Amino acid sequence: MPMLVSYQWLNELVPVGDIAPDELASRLTMAGVTVEKVVPADQGVRGVVVGEVKAIEKHPQADKLWVTTVDVAAADGRPLTIVTGADNLTVGCRVPVAVHGSRLPGGRKIERSKLRGVASEGMLCAWTELIKGEGHDEDEGILILWADAPLGVDVVPLLGLDDHVLELDLTVNYASHCQSMLGVAREVAAVLDRPYQPPRVYVNQEGVKRAVDLVKIEVPDPDLCPAYAARVVTDIRLGPSPDWLRRRLQRAGIRPINNIVDITNYVMVEYGQPLHAFNYDQVADSRVIVRRARPGEKLVTLDGVERELDPEMLCITDPAKVLGLAGVMGGLNSEVTGATRNILLESAYFTGSGIRRTSRALGLRSEASARFEKGLDPNGNVPAVDRAAMLIEEMKAGVVAPGVAEFRVKPFLPVNIRLRPERVNSLLGTRLSAVDMARYLKRLGFETDGVADGRKHFTVTVPTRRPDVSEEVDLVEEVARLYGYDEIATTLPQGAMTSGGQPVLEDWRVSARRVLAGAGLNEILTDSRQTPKAHGASRWPAPLPISPAEAAAIPGGIPIANPMTVEESVLRSSLVPKMLEVMAYNTNRRQTDIGVFEINRVYWAKQWPLTELPVEPLMLCIGAVGRFAPKTWNRPAEEGDFFYLKGLLERLADGLGLRAPRLAPSNLETLHPARQAAIVADLGGESGKNENGGKNAAGAPAVSSDADMTPIGWLGEVHPAVAKAYELPGRPLILELNFERFVTLSEPRTYRALPPFPQVERDLALVVGDDVPAEKVAEAITAAGGKLLRSVRLFDRYAGAPVPVGQVSLAYSLVYQADRTLTDTEVNAAHEKILAALEKKFGAKLRG
Amino acid sequence: MREELKRLKDEALAAIEETATAAGLQDLRVRYLGKKGALTGILRGMGTVPADERPALGQLANEARDAIEARLTDRAAALESTELDARLGAEKVDLTLPGTWLPRGSEHPMSQVTEEVKAIFTNMGFQVVDGPEVETDYYNFEALNIPKDHPARDTQDSFFINPEILLRTQTSPVQIRTMEKMTPRLPVRIITIGRVYRRDESDPTHGSVFHQLEGLVVDRGITMGDLKGTLTLMARSLFGEGVRIRLRPSYFPFTEPSAETDVSCPVCDGAGCRVCKGSGWIELGGSGMVHPRVLTAGGYDPEVVSGFAWGFGIERMTMRKYGIEDLRHLYSNDVRFLRQF
Ligand SMILES: [Zn+2]
């Protein structure tokens, strides 16, 4: 419910007529009262003029149509012939005429036409055709204007449509005091430094029975209702409100109903104070008791719904029953109807938090409850009810009993705040004088005392209508915005030099991103929330730091108590489910060759239910399917397989300068049973290093016992059953690892002087049983090669004739190097030693 | 004999000129300069020449040898070059064929903008820090001057795990966590970038999760002018030298004075265009002077130090940078989208 401000109405409260609505809007916005948009009240109506109906005849061809002759005081003096369907015309009445070329709301253009064979030179307009949504009924007929409306004159100014509505988007702190025409006018006056001219309120004080004789106010729960005022109006006469009032309500977005309701709404818009009218004769014992509901109490509210109340809800009651829900909605039993003779007009200050709780609990929100929630001026209720009384008298809608029956828990006094001019300048970087500051504050209606240049501070008295200003720093902002944020000079922070930087993990993340993008993968970014079923569907494990029983309680991830949709209802414990979804999303769109990665957080509860914050480790996930290199005119296509994925892992480790992680057998349900592995790492310390820095080309670190190895992730081909569930074609690949643990394998890159002596390369082609892991052979070569062997690289693997069935040929390229020129004899000896070791360990034979 | 030498030389030079192959040149070399060659043959007749003529004749013979030798070398070089030209000419390829395919991946546009922003601030001496996305009520609200029942809790409707633990609605909790760690050291100059969550309906410019760039500076004598200056520097690095920063008064519980921060439209320089929807300005997010209660919660004395802070959406900056019209593209993960970056 945005605050809608009529420019014309505003102009009565503060002179702004010389400032165009758009200009006013931008001045206000720059002072903190954001104007979301400015809407012309005429809705684009152009060229509609006053005409007088001179003659009415039946349409020769249509029963329900009339042919009228209308004088619009045209230059040529010729009257217009216009066909209409309305029944409410009489000869001599004056009506709005949309002549040829005129425009109606939404740009609808009116042109000459023929209606059932009769030429019509325009259209006679109903209210609903001239203006949309201003509370008139479709069947009202043509709008009949007053008899002396000047012929040929534009109806827009005549009907008060030459107005603009400023739609405010108020921040929380301005919401209370700018939620009224007077509040906005006061702001405008302060911003423009112009006089603020509120209406003068005068109420008849004559009458036999005074309000205090007619009603007793009792407030046993003043914490929720610190102030309450009521007036009594007798002999009310319900009827329509005058046009000016209806128009203003419409501009404010409120539908006119009848004079009493309209007046309460008008005062709410004008003063920001919600009022409520009760049927006075329904108040038992003439006693109004404002109290919390009792357990089990019920009320049928004005919308006809019976509502069960709870003891946190504030009610307006009499000794016998509940009359209404304070600030939220009245009860049906005390509704003002055509039969009502006397009313009680309530103007209360309810605390915002109490109203919010009630309105939330019942799901009821209204203009009134919204205003209470935002906070009101605790001293604003009496002036508002006085204003309503004055309007009732002016409009002869009833007889106002003199005086106000009132409860006030304590006097609400303005706040005195000590303001140090030096403080203002040091926070803003300005050089304003105390006198300047005081002048700005006075424009807001704040009083100042003890202002003098050279004094360390002065006192500012802030009226109770500004609950948002409660301490010195609030005054700093008030000074700043009236001075103008734009006027504050641009400077840079002084002070000690600091060197910037980022956490090491963030550096790693940047590098990893670069390496993987360099290897041809595209980085993705997925939501951290997913459906609870997603994790189970992926069958991926998550090594949560909680007990199996706790993990079983939250199988899908950490649940969000109030999700918006089930698809976003748990925090994920792995990146894999979303990765599978992203691959499926793309393959569904015929993007069948993809390689993507994500480095992001997952969420692992340390216990369930949570008593402390979960851990949020950074994980790295790779997904690929199809070809990683396309077929081109000079190269064949290359299909991604397990070794492509393993290659990416090795490239990543090498690119980051990490010890190559090792693979170990694993049995994840997500993955192909024979083509998957756990990524394991020795996180303990320095073991697992060989003299090549753990990074020889075969990726084979020196032997370390598998018992030291901790899984930090898994990789493999996706199990066909899982791929099918995600509708993934081909042989998708997936890898996830704990990035934070992965990067602990880092070791500094070290420089080795280039050897001055030539290296010797020898190939070694072996035949071994096909169940011997190639990595073990490489490890054995490294171990047997001794100091002279610098590197081992597998360059060929072959099975099939002439290699016997059950055996495989492995060919390695070995590099020997020493701090001298090696002789053939030395190299041959080393080579022989290696072969002997392999023969002994694996039964390996030199391939003939 | 003189005549004989001259004739031999002329004949040899002419023959070299007419020879088109390396083998032919070799034959000529043997024929004229070889041990049994013509020149040697003539020199053998030197004995019949009177002794006083011999030196002159010897010189003549040497000149003839040198001339033939030089011509043979030149001719050989010319022939080689012609042959090479012919061979290379035969190796012609279609230059319009595509280059050999090499893999090229991409970093997400959000990552690219994040890195750009981090570089700007680390160059200005800011430290990048990190904080949890799942936060306590204390850090997300209480310590940021948003007590229970504060209306601002409505405008940042949150996702809860339980009544005390929620998904952070802003990156500002990192302000408190950082100050707690740093106090009483000065200055504090940090940024943090991360996900925040709000219960907003998703549309082209909003989502219930987005990334925020939060910054905080605390020191003695920090002013609102410094805030303007720092953000101007950022905006100029990011959007171009000509842009300006505009602050509009606003409200955030954790800053006072508070401001909405706009940058002048880099496309139209404030005149109004399609990119800025005619306003001439593009919203970056909120900023302001750190509220005294927030400084106190972080362990600093607001009477001694002051500070400024801001929180901008990375999505919006990314959309601005690349002209992406719908925020949801950033999370679609369509490879056809990702490959454009
Ligand atoms: Zn623009």
Side-chain angles (χ1 to χ4, degrees):
Chain A
M1 281 170 266
M3 176 73 192
L4 304 178
V5 176
S6 154
Y7 175 79
Q8 283 191 351
W9 187 355
L10 183 68
N11 190 36
E12 274 183 22
L13 302 170
V14 53
V16 292
D18 57 328
I19 302 175
D22 283 329
E23 166 67 11
L24 181 64
S26 83
R27 301 276 296 267
L28 281 176
T29 298
M30 287 309 292
V33 182
T34 308
V35 180
E36 192 65 31
K37 56 183 171 189
V38 178
V39 185
D42 66 21
Q43 297 181 10
V45 173
R46 296 282 178 280
V48 179
V49 297
V50 178
E52 184 177 315
V53 179
K54 291 294 192 188
I56 307 173
E57 282 166 32
K58 275 208 107 42
H59 190 291
Q61 259 93 50
D63 275 356
K64 293 187 174 169
L65 294 180
W66 303 89
V67 181
T68 63
T69 307
V70 184
D71 179 9
V72 293
D76 60 2
R78 195 179 62 82
L80 305 174
T81 303
I82 294 175
V83 179
T84 179
D87 289 324
N88 65 329
L89 298 174
T90 52
V91 172
C93 69
R94 298 197 167 188
V95 294
V97 184
V99 297
H100 174 76
S102 63
R103 285 186 186 272
L104 293 183
R108 181 180 160 203
K109 196 171 181 186
I110 301 301
E111 285 172 324
R112 286 188 200 96
S113 64
K114 275 198 171 174
L115 279 171
R116 309 286 295 270
V118 176
S120 183
E121 299 173 282
M123 184 178 127
L124 307 184
C125 302
W127 245 120
T128 50
E129 285 159 336
L130 275 179
I131 224 74
K132 299 285 178 203
E134 287 218 350
H136 285 261
D137 293 327
E138 294 289 342
D139 54 4
E140 276 179 1
I142 301 302
L143 173 64
I144 308 293
L145 302 168
W146 43 101
D148 58 354
L151 286 188
V153 157
D154 192 337
V155 300
V156 165
L158 201 69
L159 294 173
L161 295 175
D162 55 341
D163 194 4
H164 286 78
V165 174
L166 280 61
E167 195 175 316
L168 306 188
D169 176 20
L170 294 171
T171 52
V172 171
N173 58 332
Y174 298 158
S176 78
H177 69 278
C178 285
Q179 201 68 245
S180 66
M181 287 301 297
L182 296 188
V184 172
R186 209 183 270 275
E187 273 294 320
V188 172
V191 171
L192 303 178
D193 198 11
R194 292 189 177 191
Y196 164 63
Q197 303 157 335
R200 247 179 250 155
V201 177
Y202 169 79
V203 194
N204 184 12
Q205 297 298 327
E206 290 164 30
V208 185
K209 290 226 166 181
R210 300 180 314 136
V212 285
D213 305 323
L214 294 167
V215 65
K216 290 274 172 291
I217 311 291
E218 297 159 37
V219 182
D221 286 318
D223 58 325
L224 296 180
C225 176
Y228 194 98
R231 276 185 176 269
V232 177
V233 183
T234 60
D235 305 306
I236 62 159
R237 269 173 286 171
L238 280 190
S241 307
D243 274 349
W244 67 266
L245 192 144
R246 289 165 63 104
R247 201 180 296 145
R248 284 186 172 179
L249 282 182
Q250 287 158 356
R251 294 287 142 72
I254 293 174
R255 190 183 162 87
I257 295 170
N258 60 48
N259 49 6
I260 296 296
V261 175
D262 291 354
I263 285 169
T264 60
N265 282 333
Y266 183 84
V267 172
M268 176 172 73
V269 173
E270 192 179 36
Y271 279 68
Q273 168 71 49
L275 303 178
H276 186 73
F278 294 94
N279 184 338
Y280 171 77
D281 300 306
Q282 290 299 315
V283 181
D285 231 2
S286 300
R287 280 170 66 200
V288 170
I289 305 155
V290 186
R291 60 164 172 82
R292 283 179 163 84
R294 297 184 182 122
E297 248 176 346
K298 285 179 183 155
L299 173 70
V300 179
T301 43
L302 279 175
D303 54 2
V305 179
E306 185 180 69
R307 298 178 188 272
E308 185 143 350
L309 310 181
D310 73 54
E312 277 310 298
M313 297 176 181
L314 189 68
C315 298
I316 313 302
T317 70
D318 65 23
K321 60 187 177 295
V322 180
L323 299 168
L325 274 168
V328 177
M329 197 179 269
L332 204 56
N333 56 14
S334 59
E335 188 188 14
V336 176
T337 65
T340 306
R341 290 180 51 234
N342 307 306
I343 60 169
L344 180 137
L345 210 50
E346 165 197 283
S347 180
Y349 170 55
F350 301 123
T351 52
S353 52
I355 299 298
R356 181 158 51 242
R357 207 175 297 126
T358 308
S359 117
R360 283 280 165 86
L362 295 174
L364 276 176
R365 257 188 131 226
S366 62
E367 282 273 351
S369 71
R371 281 181 162 79
F372 282 117
E373 282 182 32
K374 284 161 186 162
L376 297 178
D377 178 359
N379 293 319
N381 62 335
V382 173
V385 79
D386 286 351
R387 171 66 167 161
M390 173 182 165
L391 289 171
I392 287 170
E393 287 181 341
E394 269 184 10
M395 287 160 50
K396 301 190 167 46
V399 179
V400 179
V404 176
E406 209 191 335
F407 165 84
R408 196 161 292 271
V409 68
K410 59 167 191 200
F412 293 97
L413 300 174
V415 182
N416 290 323
I417 303 173
R418 209 180 55 143
L419 182 67
R420 293 166 292 174
E422 160 57 26
R423 179 78 174 158
V424 177
N425 285 327
S426 73
L427 275 178
L428 300 181
T430 49
R431 284 189 203 147
L432 295 170
S433 71
V435 175
D436 288 338
M437 295 177 195
R439 207 169 49 230
Y440 289 128
L441 295 170
K442 277 181 191 146
R443 268 156 57 173
L444 289 163
F446 298 0
E447 281 165 29
T448 59
D449 187 35
V451 178
D453 286 335
R455 286 193 55 180
K456 284 239 180 298
H457 58 82
F458 61 89
T459 304
V460 182
T461 305
V462 180
T464 52
R465 64 185 150 76
R466 291 296 305 271
D468 59 310
V469 178
S470 60
E471 52 196 328
E472 187 182 39
V473 70
D474 299 328
L475 292 174
V476 175
E477 178 170 277
E478 294 300 304
V479 170
R481 72 188 181 97
L482 288 185
Y483 173 63
Y485 282 12
D486 269 353
E487 300 299 315
I488 295 171
T490 296
T491 53
L492 280 174
Q494 303 299 309
M497 300 249 291
T498 46
S499 64
Q502 66 180 352
V504 179
L505 188 61
E506 202 51 39
D507 286 335
W508 285 118
R509 188 183 187 178
V510 170
S511 306
R513 218 186 253 142
R514 211 149 284 162
V515 169
L516 292 175
L521 303 186
N522 301 107
E523 189 186 15
I524 61 168
L525 177 63
T526 61
D527 196 346
S528 36
R529 300 160 301 168
Q530 60 193 20
T531 150
K533 286 185 188 148
H535 194 79
S538 78
R539 306 186 191 176
W540 197 262
L544 303 180
I546 52 179
S547 74
E550 288 170 300
I554 46 170
I558 299 173
I560 295 166
N562 58 338
M564 291 171 78
T565 64
V566 71
E567 281 75 29
E568 301 170 350
S569 63
V570 300
L571 290 172
R572 60 178 165 186
S573 54
S574 157
L575 303 179
V576 167
K578 284 279 184 198
M579 178 58 79
L580 290 167
E581 286 171 28
V582 166
M583 285 201 282
Y585 176 94
N586 281 291
T587 51
N588 277 337
R589 282 159 185 74
R590 300 181 182 218
Q591 300 299 309
T592 47
D593 300 324
I594 47 179
V596 292
F597 73 99
E598 178 167 21
I599 308 172
N600 229 324
R601 297 184 189 195
V602 299
Y603 311 84
W604 292 348
K606 288 197 267 186
Q607 68 290 120
W608 189 260
L610 290 189
T611 54
E612 60 186 309
L613 297 181
V615 287
E616 301 179 10
L618 207 52
M619 306 296 275
L620 181 148
C621 189
I622 295 174
V625 65
R627 294 166 295 186
F628 64 88
K631 154 124 191 53
T632 61
W633 68 276
N634 61 349
R635 295 283 186 283
E638 289 187 88
E639 196 82 20
D641 61 6
F642 178 87
F643 295 100
Y644 167 62
L645 191 58
K646 186 178 176 187
L648 286 172
L649 175 66
E650 286 167 1
R651 160 70 72 87
L652 184 62
D654 191 30
L656 296 182
L658 309 180
R659 296 203 297 280
R662 301 187 60 187
L663 301 188
S666 66
N667 55 353
L668 263 53
E669 282 178 55
T670 317
L671 300 175
H672 186 308
R675 295 187 177 179
Q676 61 166 298
I679 303 164
V680 296
D682 170 14
L683 301 172
E686 294 301 298
S687 68
K689 255 187 168 180
N690 68 5
E691 65 165 336
N692 296 331
K695 282 188 303 184
N696 69 32
V703 187
S704 74
S705 107
D706 286 352
D708 300 339
M709 294 291 177
T710 316
I712 60 169
W714 291 272
L715 81 168
E717 225 176 86
V718 175
H719 195 289
V722 174
K724 193 177 168 202
Y726 282 87
E727 295 177 20
L728 273 168
R731 290 174 169 262
L733 304 163
I734 204 148
L735 172 155
E736 188 190 49
L737 57 78
N738 184 324
F739 190 66
E740 297 181 14
R741 297 191 140 193
F742 185 52
V743 299
T744 61
L745 301 177
S746 86
E747 34 189 39
R749 295 207 189 255
T750 49
Y751 160 77
R752 288 167 69 108
L754 298 181
F757 303 99
Q759 63 179 28
V760 178
E761 287 179 38
R762 288 285 172 88
D763 289 351
L764 182 61
L766 303 161
V767 175
V768 293
D770 62 7
D771 56 345
V772 176
E775 191 180 58
K776 296 283 177 211
V777 177
E779 282 173 12
I781 293 172
T782 305
K787 276 186 173 176
L788 298 186
L789 182 64
R790 267 299 129 80
S791 74
V792 184
R793 182 173 64 88
L794 179 74
F795 71 88
D796 191 29
R797 181 182 189 279
Y798 175 76
V803 177
V805 173
Q807 299 211 303
V808 62
S809 157
L810 301 173
Y812 292 89
S813 167
L814 278 57
V815 174
Y816 294 94
Q817 172 89 66
D819 295 338
R820 61 186 186 282
T821 302
L822 284 170
T823 63
D824 270 1
T825 324
E826 284 177 299
V827 174
N828 287 344
H831 218 60
E832 290 302 322
K833 194 178 152 204
I834 290 170
L835 192 58
L838 296 178
E839 197 164 352
K840 191 174 167 207
K841 196 159 185 182
F842 306 112
K845 295 270 181 294
L846 208 55
R847 189 175 168 193
Chain B
M1 195 161 184
R2 267 175 210 277
E3 288 71 34
E4 218 172 334
L5 270 174
K6 186 173 185 309
R7 192 185 43 78
L8 181 77
K9 180 180 154 197
D10 291 348
E11 181 193 307
L13 293 180
I16 290 168
E17 219 45 58
E18 277 158 29
T19 303
T21 65
L25 287 178
Q26 187 54 36
D27 287 350
L28 289 180
R29 178 184 296 276
V30 172
R31 187 186 317 158
Y32 291 106
L33 304 179
K35 282 184 179 156
K36 292 174 186 168
L39 188 62
T40 318
I42 292 175
L43 289 178
R44 252 185 227 124
M46 193 74 95
T48 63
V49 176
D52 57 336
E53 285 182 30
R54 280 182 198 166
L57 268 178
Q59 196 182 341
L60 252 170
N62 278 337
E63 277 170 17
R65 171 184 294 274
D66 288 351
I68 295 168
E69 188 76 58
R71 188 64 62 90
L72 275 171
T73 308
D74 287 356
R75 184 64 185 152
L79 278 182
E80 198 175 317
S81 152
T82 313
E83 260 171 57
L84 186 65
D85 284 352
R87 199 171 72 236
L88 293 185
E91 287 175 1
K92 191 178 149 215
V93 293
D94 177 358
L95 303 176
T96 66
L97 285 169
T100 295
W101 184 90
L102 292 169
R104 176 209 174 261
S106 62
E107 298 179 36
H108 197 280
M110 291 277 290
S111 300
Q112 297 189 22
V113 171
T114 299
E115 291 311 317
E116 204 177 332
V117 167
K118 282 198 308 198
I120 291 169
F121 283 103
T122 50
N123 288 341
M124 286 164 69
F126 282 68
Q127 187 67 36
V128 181
V129 298
D130 215 354
E133 290 173 24
V134 184
E135 258 297 3
T136 61
D137 185 273
Y138 174 77
Y139 283 108
N140 194 72
F141 289 129
E142 293 285 341
L144 292 170
N145 195 30
I146 314 174
K148 296 231 155 59
D149 276 337
H150 192 288
R153 289 205 180 201
D154 288 356
T155 58
Q156 300 190 353
D157 215 349
S158 0
F159 292 106
F160 282 94
I161 306 296
N162 66 40
E164 287 306 316
I165 295 177
L166 71 161
L167 307 192
R168 66 179 176 189
T169 56
Q170 58 221 355
T171 37
S172 308
V174 180
Q175 289 188 23
I176 305 291
R177 289 182 175 275
T178 303
M179 285 192 283
E180 280 179 347
K181 268 182 220 137
M182 283 202 62
T183 186
R185 280 172 292 152
L186 290 172
V188 178
R189 287 178 194 148
I190 58 122
I191 61 162
T192 185
I193 297 174
R195 292 182 194 234
V196 301
Y197 303 81
R198 292 184 196 169
R199 299 188 83 243
D200 285 344
E201 291 298 334
S202 165
D203 69 27
T205 53
H206 295 86
S208 58
V209 59
F210 61 97
H211 292 70
Q212 223 172 27
L213 157 70
E214 179 101 10
L216 172 73
V217 171
V218 177
D219 202 355
R220 288 192 172 82
I222 293 292
T223 70
M224 198 153 166
D226 297 340
L227 165 66
K228 284 176 83 172
T230 303
L231 295 183
T232 301
L233 214 58
M234 179 206 78
R236 292 193 173 163
S237 307
L238 213 52
F239 300 114
E241 270 312 306
V243 300
R244 299 177 304 285
I245 281 287
R246 179 178 81 172
L247 301 183
R248 282 181 284 127
S250 188
Y251 174 79
F252 307 103
F254 28 90
T255 48
E256 187 88 33
S258 299
E260 284 295 342
T261 317
D262 304 330
V263 60
S264 62
C265 176
V267 177
C268 64
D269 194 29
C273 69
R274 214 165 44 88
V275 171
C276 55
K277 299 194 184 80
S279 74
W281 297 91
I282 291 165
E283 272 189 41
L284 289 178
S287 64
M289 301 301 293
V290 182
H291 197 286
R293 271 195 284 279
V294 173
L295 288 172
T296 307
Y300 287 93
D301 181 353
E303 286 294 314
V304 177
V305 303
S306 53
F308 61 79
W310 73 91
F312 300 161
I314 296 278
E315 276 80 354
R316 193 175 285 177
M317 292 160 99
T318 308
M319 289 166 75
R320 171 75 274 287
K321 186 173 169 71
Y322 295 107
I324 299 165
E325 73 292 354
D326 191 327
L327 176 141
R328 288 168 289 199
H329 291 319
L330 294 174
Y331 292 91
S332 73
N333 296 311
D334 191 315
V335 291
R336 292 166 299 178
F337 172 81
L338 299 172
R339 284 173 187 153
Q340 295 177 34
F341 297 94

